[in-house]
């Protein structure tokens, strides 16, 4: 019923799945980031280490945010199903009983 209002359940589920896949890619790339190599300069090594640590922190925050967005999309689908069920139940209960004629 709610699809009559333009809700595309499959598109929402596909978007949530793409977001989940993105978080998996983030996690994979974070695991691949190893210790920085030594450049021969203490200042450069320290700067590279700081950059790597900051990038990993930001990536962790982004992973959490993208995961939360995927959860919200899944919640939209669940809420749609509840709304659809509720609306169809209300419409069915408001129908006059079949076979009775008002006199």
């Amino acid at each position: 019923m709610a699809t009559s209002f333009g809700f595309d359940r499959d598109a929402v589920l596909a978007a949530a799945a793409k977001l989940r896949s993105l978080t998996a890619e983030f996690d994979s790339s974070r695991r691949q980031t190893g210790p920085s190599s030594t450049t021969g300069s203490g200042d450069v090594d320290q700067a590279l280490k700081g950059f790597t640590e900051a990038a990993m922190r930001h990536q962790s925050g982004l992973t959490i945010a993208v995961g939360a967005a995927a959860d919200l999309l899944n919640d939209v689908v669940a809420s749609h199903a509840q709304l659809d069920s509720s609306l169809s139940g209300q419409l069915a209960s408001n129908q006059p009983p079949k076979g009775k004629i008002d006199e």
Side-chain angles (χ1 to χ4, degrees):
M1 167 162 294
T3 53
S4 300
F5 300 106
F7 180 77
D8 187 343
R9 178 183 178 275
D10 293 337
V12 175
L13 288 174
K18 286 180 184 178
L19 289 173
R20 288 282 175 221
S21 139
L22 187 58
T23 61
E25 288 178 30
F26 286 156
D27 287 339
S28 174
S29 68
R30 186 171 52 237
R31 284 190 297 271
Q32 292 174 7
T33 304
S36 302
S37 60
T38 305
T39 63
S41 167
D43 291 339
V44 172
D45 289 344
Q46 190 62 29
L48 285 173
K49 181 181 177 194
F51 175 79
T52 301
E53 289 171 356
M56 289 175 71
R57 275 194 312 275
H58 290 295
Q59 189 177 31
S60 293
L62 185 57
T63 300
I64 290 167
V66 170
D71 290 342
L72 286 173
L73 290 177
N74 285 325
D75 289 347
V76 165
V77 172
S79 296
H80 163 264
Q82 287 178 326
L83 175 64
D84 198 45
S85 176
S86 177
L87 287 174
S88 65
Q90 289 295 320
L91 289 175
S93 66
N94 289 335
Q95 297 292 328
K98 293 185 178 183
K100 293 195 176 188
I101 301 174
D102 291 336
E103 295 184 36

